[in-house]
Amino acid sequence: MPDTVPGSLRAYLHGLPGVDEVGVRRRAADLATRSVKTTAKARAIDLAIRMVDLTTLEGADTPGKVRAMAAKAVRPDPADPTAPPVAAVCVYPDMAAVAAQALAGTEVAVASVATGFPAGRTPLEVKLADTRAAVAAGATEIDMVIDRGAFLAGDYGKVFEEIAAVKEACGEAHLKVILETGELACYDNVRRASWLALHAGADFIKTSTGKVTPAATPPITLIMLEAVRDYRALTGRQAGVKPAGGIRTTKDAIRYLVLVNEVAGPDWLSPAHFRLGASTLLNDLLMQRAKLATGHYGGPDYYTLD
Amino acid sequence: MADTPARIAVRRTYKLYIGGAFPRSESGRSYPVTSSRGTHLANAARASRKDVRDAVVAARKAFPGWSGRTAYNRGQILYRVAEMMEGRRAQFAAEVMAAEGIGRPRADAVVSAAIDRWVYYAGWADKITHVLGGANPVSGPYLNLSEPEPTGVVGVLAPAGSPLLGLVSVLAPVITTGNTAVVLADEHAPLPAITLAEALATSDLPPGVANILTGHLTELAPPLAAHADVNALDLTGAGDLSRALEESAAGTLKRVLRPGPADWTDPDPGTARMRPFLEIKTVWHPTGT
């Protein structure tokens, strides 16, 4: 597939089976009713914490804030050493060096957005330079955005080549491709963009930047999980999925884990193949964790703000 | 002409009051409520500890906005509650009669007293600051000011045996000073509390300032007392649970009010129920020589 010329790429993507929108919504809603309690809940919470990409993508980010967040990533609950560290810290490229320094020697990865995040409307040279700079600064995971304008205009070849070029610029770093599903207009496009990104070499496909509403939703994540599952069956390579944006509560996080297990399978239930892009989610996970341990509800006053 | 068909009764569903909405209990349960003579009146929602949690979240969310309003504005809104209650007099009186087993004239008097109690505490909203705070005479070149600030989210266990007047007498003093409240209504006579919630919902009181739960005290009070995001606890209706709840509240350093027996008919209850849920902040400001 990767050596396909753009003409047949179009035919290939439009030849993918259409998404049954009502069916997908129904299936996602059904899976959201699963009840996960007691010991299973405790395991799910710890797994969800290990899957969190703790994210700060604000214009007002300072080195101090990134360092504070890195400290929290390594030890989310200072009062409880049994709380596992998160998967990665996700920052803008100029903060990647700060994050890498703060996380040196820990198992927490440094993820950096790149390629003109969040709009992705810069020339390819700028995108590649952005990516190389982030990798050089110590980022081991790159979150790139696709050119939604080109995708919606039907210029799939351009999107494909950009992803492939960024993948090459990443070198050893993992590449997560943000589809920004909130701008893709329909579920069929989400499926097409997922397959396009996977064929172009994405290690992860990610729902959203978090700057556009709607961000991650269970039906969209379900479609993307189906794509990585079928892609592995086709090629043998296992890619991951990362819903990001709008996941704020433990209940939401656990629903995503159920979705992963039921749609893609237990092979995806690990931080290597499933991530949750979030910032406020972590505190809720920690509060629920403390609730299971102590028996009483916690309050936000007991946890750091960022 | 054919007979007109008998009208089908429109029965009322008594639900919880959380965050300005009237949800059923998360657990889907309800329990029968009987009059003082044992006749069945209605089924009330039986809240679960998750409803307690949701109510605390709603109260916390409402706190910055409510405490940030001017005291005058809070007073106006509480006065509006009294206006809304006035319009529901007949309903309140009927429920009080059934719950307390008293006659119409006495029930009317209880409803009047409850409405007057709202007006009483509405008036206190912009006056309490001057009673508890003010400029302090200090030796040194400082302007020294004290002012009372609301404690935060207050869990209120409404008294048993006085489902309307007692409830108003514990809820109004808590919210008039800018706190938000999660109230556990009288377990055996919760219907006036829900009718009060309907008055609150139609009187400009922001959603979440007062949240009213009905259900079993032994089930709801412990999670409320232990909740880390509740700042204070009013144990008026706790009965035998008082001691255990007080111990549990100590785990998160809550303010606790554990009052003695109260006479709810006293028309001038004073500041005794407002002061425990206020923190005095004192500011030292250097003055020129």
Side-chain angles (χ1 to χ4, degrees):
Chain A
M1 186 60 208
D3 55 347
T4 323
V5 291
S8 63
L9 180 61
R10 181 182 185 79
Y12 174 80
L13 292 177
H14 283 264
L16 289 168
V19 177
D20 170 7
E21 185 168 336
V22 175
V24 163
R25 285 181 195 276
R26 180 69 194 273
R27 174 95 172 119
D30 273 357
L31 290 174
T33 60
R34 294 280 172 89
S35 176
V36 179
K37 301 286 180 204
T38 61
T39 49
K41 185 176 183 185
R43 283 187 58 192
I45 288 173
D46 279 10
L47 181 59
I49 292 175
R50 291 200 293 122
M51 286 174 167
V52 167
D53 276 7
L54 197 55
T55 305
T56 180
L57 295 170
E58 304 291 335
D61 286 348
T62 57
K65 184 179 176 191
V66 171
R67 277 193 288 268
M69 215 179 67
K72 183 168 183 177
V74 176
R75 186 143 176 205
D77 190 348
D80 182 1
T82 63
V86 305
V89 163
C90 185
V91 293
Y92 270 119
D94 62 328
M95 288 294 160
V98 178
Q101 195 185 14
L103 292 169
T106 69
E107 54 188 295
V108 180
V110 179
S112 169
V113 297
T115 74
F117 183 93
R121 306 219 76 102
T122 52
L124 182 59
E125 296 75 42
V126 177
K127 290 183 180 177
L128 295 178
D130 202 12
T131 308
R132 290 195 191 100
V135 174
T140 53
E141 301 178 358
I142 297 294
D143 288 27
M144 74 167 287
V145 288
I146 65 166
D147 185 341
R148 279 89 72 189
F151 182 88
L152 291 171
D155 194 352
Y156 301 133
K158 184 182 178 203
V159 179
F160 185 95
E161 280 155 24
E162 273 194 3
I163 298 172
V166 173
K167 171 71 182 166
E168 200 185 330
C170 283
E172 291 289 297
H174 268 235
L175 178 64
K176 299 183 204 136
V177 178
I178 302 172
L179 308 179
E180 194 62 297
T181 51
E183 293 181 345
L184 292 186
C186 67
Y187 287 176
D188 284 345
N189 275 345
V190 172
R191 177 168 283 173
R192 286 176 196 140
S194 302
W195 280 95
L196 178 68
L198 291 168
H199 279 302
D203 297 303
F204 260 87
I205 47 176
K206 175 173 166 183
T207 59
S208 335
T209 58
K211 308 281 184 198
V212 168
T213 340
T217 64
I220 297 264
T221 310
L222 192 152
I223 293 168
M224 291 166 65
L225 285 164
E226 285 177 343
V228 294
R229 177 195 67 194
D230 296 346
Y231 181 75
R232 187 180 75 167
L234 188 70
T235 66
R237 187 168 74 88
Q238 186 176 353
V241 175
K242 175 178 171 184
I247 308 166
R248 294 205 173 79
T249 63
T250 302
K251 197 177 262 184
D252 288 343
I254 291 177
R255 281 174 182 167
Y256 278 103
L257 295 184
V258 170
L259 212 57
V260 172
N261 191 53
E262 297 299 321
V263 177
D267 289 355
W268 270 267
L269 277 178
S270 104
H273 294 109
F274 192 77
R275 294 282 179 84
L276 296 159
S279 38
T280 49
L281 169 66
L282 183 58
N283 275 357
D284 197 62
L285 286 167
L286 294 174
M287 267 190 262
Q288 286 293 322
R289 201 175 184 279
K291 158 78 177 64
L292 289 177
T294 62
H296 66 77
Y297 290 110
D301 289 354
Y302 296 78
Y303 297 90
T304 56
L305 290 174
D306 289 308
Chain B
M1 193 175 140
D3 290 342
T4 43
R7 184 165 174 275
I8 297 169
V10 179
R11 295 221 181 102
R12 188 150 158 242
T13 312
Y14 289 89
K15 297 195 266 192
L16 307 175
Y17 182 52
I18 299 174
F22 290 90
R24 289 185 168 80
S25 168
E26 163 276 335
S27 62
R29 301 172 304 178
S30 60
Y31 70 108
V33 175
T34 55
S35 72
S36 59
R37 288 181 193 158
T39 52
H40 182 261
L41 293 173
N43 289 322
R46 186 178 153 198
S48 69
R49 63 183 171 79
K50 289 194 178 177
D51 293 311
V52 171
R53 177 196 62 185
D54 292 348
V56 172
V57 169
R60 173 58 63 197
K61 195 170 160 219
F63 180 70
W66 181 241
S67 58
R69 285 181 187 244
T70 61
Y72 172 74
N73 186 236
R74 285 200 301 270
Q76 291 288 299
I77 291 173
L78 293 201
Y79 186 77
R80 177 103 180 132
V81 173
E83 291 175 14
M84 290 299 114
M85 285 182 72
E86 195 66 46
R88 289 174 176 263
R89 282 196 79 97
Q91 195 178 0
F92 277 120
E95 283 172 352
V96 168
M97 279 166 68
E100 297 189 28
I102 53 179
R104 168 72 64 179
R106 282 185 60 201
D108 276 339
V110 167
V111 175
S112 297
I115 296 172
D116 293 349
R117 193 62 39 91
W118 274 111
V119 176
Y120 176 86
Y121 281 114
W124 265 114
D126 56 0
K127 297 170 188 70
I128 188 82
T129 315
H130 312 294
V131 175
L132 299 180
N136 306 313
V138 289
S139 90
Y142 297 99
L143 171 66
N144 186 284
L145 295 170
S146 290
E147 84 167 325
E149 293 188 339
T151 300
V153 174
V154 182
V156 179
L157 277 58
S162 184
L164 182 65
L165 182 56
L167 173 67
V168 168
S169 302
V170 294
L171 173 60
V174 167
I175 63 176
T176 191
T177 55
N179 296 295
T180 55
V182 175
V183 183
L184 306 185
D186 182 354
E187 178 174 338
H188 301 291
L191 305 187
I194 297 304
T195 304
L196 176 67
E198 284 163 10
L200 297 176
T202 49
S203 56
D204 300 338
L205 192 72
V209 171
N211 304 276
I212 299 180
L213 303 178
T214 57
H216 297 286
L217 202 61
T218 48
E219 184 187 359
L220 303 177
L224 184 64
H227 199 305
D229 207 21
V230 173
N231 302 107
L233 205 56
D234 178 350
L235 292 176
T236 304
D240 299 340
L241 295 173
S242 286
R243 191 185 166 81
L245 293 177
E246 208 166 6
E247 279 176 11
S248 162
T252 45
L253 298 178
K254 288 181 183 58
R255 296 229 172 259
V256 176
L257 174 66
R258 193 177 161 183
D263 174 19
W264 303 118
T265 56
D266 179 2
D268 185 8
T271 60
R273 290 197 153 266
M274 289 183 280
R275 177 65 188 89
F277 306 116
L278 289 168
E279 312 295 325
I280 305 294
K281 180 175 80 177
T282 297
V283 181
W284 295 68
H285 194 286
T287 55
T289 47

